[in-house]
Amino acid sequence: MKKNIAVKIDDLTVAYNYKPVLWDIDLEIPEGVLMAIVGPNGAGKSTLIKSILGILKPIAGSVTIYNKPYKKQRSLVAYVPQKGSVDWDFPTTALDVVMMGTYGSLGWIKRPGQKEKKAALEALEKVGMLPFKSRQISQLSGGQQQRIFLARALVQNASIYFMDEPFQGVDATTEIAIINILKELRKARKTVIVVHHDLQTVPEYFDWVTFLNVKKIATGPVKDIFNDDNLTKTYGINYKVSIQE
Amino acid sequence: MLGSFAVLRKQSLLGDAISHAALPGIAIAFLITGAKDSNTLLLGALVSGLIGTFWIRGIIKKTHLKSDTALGLILSLFFGFGMLLLTFIQKQPNANQAGLDKYLFGQAATLLESDVWLMAIVTSVCLFVLLLFWKEFKILLFDADYTKTLGFNTKFIDILITTFIVLAIVLGLQTVGVVLMSAMLLAPAAAARQWTNSLGMMVFLAALFGAFSGVFGTAISASQNNLSTGPVIVIVAGIFVIFSFIFSPSRGLLFKQIRFIKNRRDLQLHKTLAFMYNIAETHDDISHPHAIKILNNFQGFTKGTLQKLADKNYVTIKGSNWSLTNEGFKTASNLYNQQTKSHE
Ligand SMILES: Nc1ncnc2c1ncn2[C@@H]1O[C@H](COP(=O)(O)OP(=O)(O)OP(=O)(O)O)[C@@H](O)[C@H]1O
Ligand SMILES: [Mg+2]
């Protein structure tokens, strides 16, 4: 059976100054996978996601979502940024932030109404943050803020989710809660792409993986390509993970 | 009011840069038209203010200078140029320039009725646009990258906000002057932030504080001869800020201190009560009397705390013995449950 391709990237090259931080990336992500992007710090993982989402302008290359240019398919895509990318002292509540996920479908000027609020409350419930809905975002813990971001993406009701280190600084319980939500998304035939740092948990959480370090090292099913050879190529040092069978 | 956005953007210096950048515009407008008509001069200020702002943007984007550096650069460049022009104008023989330096420190007394009308109109337009694009402004300020992924034209929103900040500054120049304008923009917003955690409320309060400082400051300076209006207004706004930093209920220094002391006291009480609970639990009868002496080794215990527990009816004291009441037992076991729950 041939799978549909959800995201297709051709010849993507991105640079902040002169030196490219992403070099000639070709990548196909099949529909319905739960994919990890792994690579060392500074490998360009966040840059890759930002370029796919049009936040950064690449020097060259193209991104298509279900065979159409990204710009036409925005509503199919949701984004969970790295938590540190915003100022959490901003005067607003948890519910308000989650509501922002509905702004895209509302479009210009129109205000969110009852329907949007209901959707936001449901998303908060899903991530277990309903009791905190009126809480100031500055008074949430790091893991709770992360869940708020996740809820905001869930509200978008997209087909493809990009998440930049959603497990950063969360405890074991939250990590399991989040991964269960991601697995549920996969069950609903959604495609989920996650920047992930903990190599030990890759085989347990994900079914697809991309190794990245400026260039694409490898991409494919975890059970086929998640091995010491690729890890060594990506991380430079002689890498050994004990993969539990 | 618009200062709220500048504060939240951590671009507080921007206001400073814009108002300084407006100066050469005023001078040039005067040189070209030779008129002192304030509308013409303000138009000049607006144009050069906008040019300055977008240059700053450009510099930050194209070179990799930090934003403070770019702001400082433009600020001193434009201000220097403006001062140069002003001196040049002053040296000119036909000198009806006397009114120009009011833009340095501001002079509300020179405001004409038509100026006030202009301000009122521009303010209402700003207000209208603000309400219209409220949702867009909010999300852009909080998370610009995310806003872009939702398909909003972030550049447009950004230009809109910036234009209105520039407009507000230019209009304020006549009253407060170039040098103090940024203080006028930021002080009410900084004060307002102390009192509220909602963006809407913050903008509203900032507008209120700003208006109040304006009215009050003008009144003071009018009642005293020779006091420039601008500095007085800014001082009044400054008093708001200091007052807010000290007295605001949630973020203020005073209440933080009071809360801290109260928390520490409560904690001591709770610790003592919990300790008693542990002892009482070992007996079938919770009200079984125990010697006060056994508490002495316990950290956080004082005669005062014991007395307070007795006042609250949590314990009864008989001679050198204490015993837990039913109520005290219940409270203590609740404390326990709460604690284990919050650790889950
Ligand atoms: N705004 C920027 N301006 C200039 N260079 C940048 C910028 N952001 C990132 N870089 C550089 O681009 C490279 C890739 O950065 P990126 O943030 O994509 O890495 P990453 O793989 O996400 O790293 P991490 O694991 O630390 O999150 C790094 O060398 C970084 O120094
Ligand atoms: Mg990153």
Side-chain angles (χ1 to χ4, degrees):
Chain A
M1 187 190 92
K2 197 169 176 298
K3 279 186 167 172
N4 277 336
I5 300 299
V7 183
K8 188 164 185 293
I9 299 162
D10 287 304
D11 300 328
L12 188 76
T13 301
V14 185
Y16 287 102
N17 301 315
Y18 303 103
K19 215 173 129 230
V21 291
L22 284 178
W23 188 249
D24 212 8
I25 308 280
D26 289 305
L27 189 60
E28 287 185 355
I29 306 172
E31 179 181 57
V33 296
L34 182 45
M35 182 177 99
I37 300 178
V38 298
N41 291 132
K45 303 178 296 293
S46 301
T47 307
L48 176 65
I49 290 190
K50 285 185 188 166
S51 320
I52 294 174
L53 298 173
I55 297 165
L56 289 172
K57 214 172 153 206
I59 296 179
S62 67
V63 177
T64 55
I65 307 284
Y66 287 114
N67 294 321
K68 286 198 192 116
Y70 165 73
K71 274 193 177 151
K72 297 214 166 116
Q73 304 278 56
R74 271 216 178 89
S75 59
L76 297 179
V77 180
Y79 173 45
V80 179
Q82 242 171 318
K83 203 182 67 216
S85 65
V86 304
D87 172 17
W88 288 95
D89 204 30
F90 193 82
T92 191
T93 61
L95 178 62
D96 237 14
V97 172
V98 177
M99 292 257 258
M100 287 178 187
T102 66
Y103 286 8
S105 58
L106 279 170
W108 288 92
I109 297 173
K110 223 174 127 200
R111 300 293 176 90
Q114 281 309 313
K115 191 173 125 229
E116 283 74 24
K117 190 168 172 192
K118 203 171 140 247
L121 288 173
E122 272 167 21
L124 275 169
E125 164 103 75
K126 239 184 238 164
V127 298
M129 288 291 294
L130 202 52
F132 297 89
K133 68 175 170 23
S134 316
R135 186 71 80 85
Q136 275 301 306
I137 55 170
S138 57
Q139 290 165 7
L140 295 171
S141 76
Q144 291 166 341
Q145 291 170 346
Q146 192 68 65
R147 289 200 232 184
I148 293 296
F149 261 11
L150 184 61
R152 184 176 69 171
L154 290 177
V155 165
Q156 284 180 253
N157 204 4
S159 313
I160 304 171
Y161 292 80
F162 289 93
M163 309 190 179
D164 203 342
E165 303 195 26
F167 301 113
Q168 191 186 41
V170 305
D171 64 13
T173 329
T174 310
E175 181 159 333
I176 291 168
I178 293 178
I179 197 68
N180 282 337
I181 292 170
L182 301 192
K183 284 181 172 166
E184 232 169 75
L185 287 172
R186 176 176 55 186
K187 229 187 253 162
R189 297 296 296 157
K190 315 259 182 183
T191 311
V192 185
I193 295 121
V194 179
V195 172
H196 193 58
H197 267 299
D198 182 8
L199 296 170
Q200 304 292 339
T201 52
V202 168
E204 185 187 336
Y205 292 169
F206 301 95
D207 55 9
W208 210 264
V209 64
T210 293
F211 292 92
L212 187 76
N213 193 351
V214 185
K215 295 181 177 185
K216 182 192 77 181
I217 313 288
T219 184
V222 170
K223 60 179 186 329
D224 297 343
I225 67 158
F226 194 72
N227 52 37
D228 292 348
D229 186 32
N230 279 327
L231 284 165
T232 307
K233 273 189 206 155
T234 309
Y235 287 85
I237 46 171
N238 217 351
Y239 217 100
K240 288 249 184 309
V241 282
S242 42
I243 299 171
Q244 297 103 346
E245 296 296 307
Chain B
M1 172 177 84
L2 284 156
S4 306
F5 293 108
V7 168
L8 288 175
R9 272 184 139 190
K10 308 246 145 94
Q11 282 187 331
S12 317
L13 252 177
L14 184 68
D16 226 5
I18 296 172
S19 54
H20 283 77
L23 194 61
I26 295 175
I28 290 173
F30 176 75
L31 281 177
I32 294 175
T33 63
K36 241 172 31 177
D37 164 44
S38 62
N39 288 349
T40 324
L41 296 185
L42 286 183
L43 199 67
L46 182 64
V47 171
S48 78
L50 279 174
I51 292 176
T53 316
F54 289 104
W55 272 17
I56 293 170
R57 288 284 154 89
I59 290 179
I60 295 172
K61 241 189 166 160
K62 291 274 146 44
T63 72
H64 286 265
L65 286 180
K66 281 182 59 182
S67 62
D68 319 16
T69 324
L71 285 170
L73 197 72
I74 292 292
L75 185 151
S76 34
L77 198 71
F78 274 65
F79 190 58
F81 185 53
M83 285 309 277
L84 193 79
L85 288 175
L86 275 189
T87 344
F88 173 72
I89 291 169
Q90 252 148 30
K91 290 241 172 74
Q92 292 215 316
N94 72 339
N96 65 347
Q97 19 71 4
L100 280 191
D101 50 344
K102 81 176 178 198
Y103 289 101
L104 273 182
F105 291 107
Q107 194 54 269
T110 61
L111 282 181
L112 303 174
E113 201 188 315
S114 61
D115 297 335
V116 177
W117 272 112
L118 184 68
M119 279 188 199
I121 292 170
V122 174
T123 311
S124 357
V125 172
C126 284
L127 208 63
F128 178 72
V129 174
L130 177 72
L131 287 176
L132 201 63
F133 292 105
W134 181 254
K135 162 174 130 260
E136 285 78 11
F137 284 166
K138 185 162 88 177
I139 189 173
L140 181 80
L141 288 174
F142 177 60
D143 193 345
D145 282 353
Y146 182 73
T147 312
K148 215 167 177 180
T149 70
L150 291 180
F152 288 103
N153 184 342
T154 47
K155 236 186 224 145
F156 174 73
I157 310 176
D158 203 34
I159 289 176
L160 211 59
I161 296 184
T162 312
T163 309
F164 280 112
I165 293 181
V166 175
L167 252 178
I169 288 174
V170 166
L171 277 179
L173 283 182
Q174 271 194 94
T175 339
V176 191
V178 166
V179 182
L180 293 172
M181 187 56 219
S182 75
M184 196 49 219
L185 190 69
L186 302 177
R193 180 69 183 93
Q194 295 298 313
W195 294 97
T196 173
N197 274 324
S198 122
L199 182 62
M201 202 56 195
M202 173 176 167
V203 173
F204 176 75
L205 280 179
L208 202 71
F209 289 164
F212 193 78
S213 317
V215 171
F216 218 62
T218 314
I220 294 177
S221 88
S223 66
Q224 306 284 321
N225 275 344
N226 294 330
L227 271 185
S228 302
T229 326
V232 178
I233 294 182
V234 170
I235 287 174
V236 174
I239 291 172
F240 269 118
V241 175
I242 295 171
F243 184 80
S244 306
F245 272 117
I246 298 178
F247 291 105
S248 108
S250 63
R251 300 179 144 232
L253 297 174
L254 187 68
F255 282 88
K256 248 188 205 156
Q257 194 59 32
I258 291 175
R259 232 186 353 244
F260 179 72
I261 293 172
K262 189 173 172 302
N263 270 345
R264 207 170 48 188
R265 279 221 202 100
D266 283 356
L267 213 65
Q268 257 169 18
L269 273 188
H270 288 167
K271 262 163 75 177
T272 313
L273 191 64
F275 186 65
M276 291 170 155
Y277 172 80
N278 277 341
I279 299 173
E281 235 186 357
T282 56
H283 287 266
D284 292 337
D285 174 19
I286 51 157
S287 307
H288 185 89
H290 300 272
I292 292 181
K293 257 194 285 181
I294 56 171
L295 294 175
N296 282 345
N297 293 329
F298 180 65
Q299 193 199 8
F301 164 77
T302 59
K303 279 218 172 84
T305 47
L306 192 64
Q307 191 52 50
K308 254 190 218 128
L309 285 172
D311 288 346
K312 288 193 170 179
N313 248 340
Y314 290 163
V315 293
T316 47
I317 305 172
K318 275 201 199 98
S320 61
N321 283 336
W322 60 267
S323 58
L324 216 51
T325 63
N326 264 330
E327 203 184 330
F329 189 80
K330 246 189 251 152
T331 316
S333 72
N334 271 344
L335 278 175
Y336 245 69
N337 290 340
Q338 254 172 31
Q339 244 169 29
T340 43
K341 236 187 214 151
S342 68
H343 278 287
E344 254 173 28

